[in-house]
Amino acid sequence: MQKLKPQGTKIIVQTILQEDKVGEAGIIAVDFTLDKGEIVEVGTDVEHLYKVGDIVLFPTGVGHSLNYQKKSCKWLDGRSFPNGDIWAKSYEND
C-alpha cells in the first residue's frame, strides 16, 4: 500500500463520526458546525504542531476528500484558522 508524505502545511485526517448527544429532557443535540478528525499523515511544515494520532477540529465542508490506505480521509491545510482549516486540537480525557 502506498504511503504519502504531505508537503508544506498539508495534513491528512480520517474523519471521526460524532454521536448525537441526548439531553436530560430527551432532546438530541447535533453539532453541525465542526467535524473531528484523527491525523494519519503530517506535512513537513507542521510536524512541530501535530503528530499522527492527534485529534483536530475543522469546519464541515473544508478540505478535499480522498481514499487513503482504504480509509475515507480529508486533505486539509494544517495551519490554524483563518489562514488554514484547523480550528482546534483536541485534548480529550481518556
Side-chain angles (χ1 to χ4, degrees), residues 5-22:
K5 178 64 176 175
Q7 297 299 297
T9 61
K10 301 300 182 199
I11 59 175
I12 300 175
V13 301
Q14 180 181 7
T15 302
I16 299 170
L17 297 177
Q18 298 185 56
E19 295 182 20
D20 297 338
K21 296 178 178 102
V22 180

Side-chain angles (χ1 to χ4, degrees), residues 16-92:
I16 299 170
L17 297 177
Q18 298 185 56
E19 295 182 20
D20 297 338
K21 296 178 178 102
V22 180
E24 291 179 19
I27 297 172
I28 298 174
V30 181
D31 183 4
F32 289 109
T33 56
L34 294 177
D35 285 339
K36 185 186 288 189
E38 179 179 353
I39 296 179
V40 294
E41 297 293 343
V42 180
T44 54
D45 290 353
V46 290
E47 289 175 324
H48 64 287
L49 298 174
Y50 309 110
K51 66 183 181 307
V52 172
D54 282 348
I55 305 298
V56 293
L57 301 175
F58 52 93
T60 301
V62 300
H64 300 282
S65 297
L66 74 145
N67 287 323
Y68 180 64
Q69 296 186 346
K70 298 184 181 181
K71 299 175 187 172
S72 179
C73 296
K74 286 202 172 210
W75 193 276
L76 301 173
D77 186 329
R79 296 176 296 169
S80 61
F81 181 82
N83 298 320
D85 297 327
I86 305 303
W87 282 31
K89 185 173 168 182
S90 179
Y91 296 96
E92 295 179 358

